[in-house]
Amino acid sequence: MNRLTVKAVSAASLVSSSLSFAAPALADDVTSTVTAYDRVANVVVLADKSVFDLSIATDSIPPTLSAGDRITIDFKGDEDGVSAINSITILSEGDKS
């Protein structure tokens, strides 16, 4: 192999090995209005059309949660999407603006 080929193979190996590491889980949150909440399917749909599967909630779901509530969902995301829902907070009237 000539020197240029060795450099290209080394660079390709470096890129492929760095891509094999999993991305770290990131904590995030979203605040929006609930457009639909299906207690049986355990799914909430927000005004921006995002859908959260509440079966992965690590904290209890507020028993009064319903459509029209303005909520904040604190969740952990990774390369596959949402991996855990840490909390769901229904905002008070003063926080709904």
Side-chain angles (χ1 to χ4, degrees), residues 24-39:
L26 302 173
D28 206 350
D29 63 65
V30 61
T31 299
S32 187
T33 301
V34 176
T35 57
Y37 173 42
D38 185 333
R39 293 179 192 284

Side-chain angles (χ1 to χ4, degrees), residues 5-97:
T5 304
V6 171
K7 285 182 181 179
V9 169
S10 296
S13 297
L14 179 63
V15 169
S16 67
S17 67
S18 67
L19 292 176
S20 66
F21 292 109
L26 302 173
D28 206 350
D29 63 65
V30 61
T31 299
S32 187
T33 301
V34 176
T35 57
Y37 173 42
D38 185 333
R39 293 179 192 284
V40 176
N42 224 10
V43 172
V44 67
V45 180
L46 302 179
D48 66 355
K49 307 293 187 226
S50 56
V51 178
F52 284 86
D53 175 4
L54 302 183
S55 68
I56 59 173
T58 59
D59 196 14
S60 62
I61 299 165
T64 61
L65 182 65
S66 62
D69 287 343
R70 186 145 176 88
I71 64 171
T72 296
I73 300 176
D74 178 270
F75 63 93
K76 187 186 323 180
D78 59 24
E79 68 275 359
D80 295 324
V82 176
S83 59
I85 295 176
N86 302 320
S87 67
I88 300 171
T89 305
I90 298 175
L91 302 177
S92 65
E93 287 297 320
D95 294 335
K96 290 188 178 187
S97 58

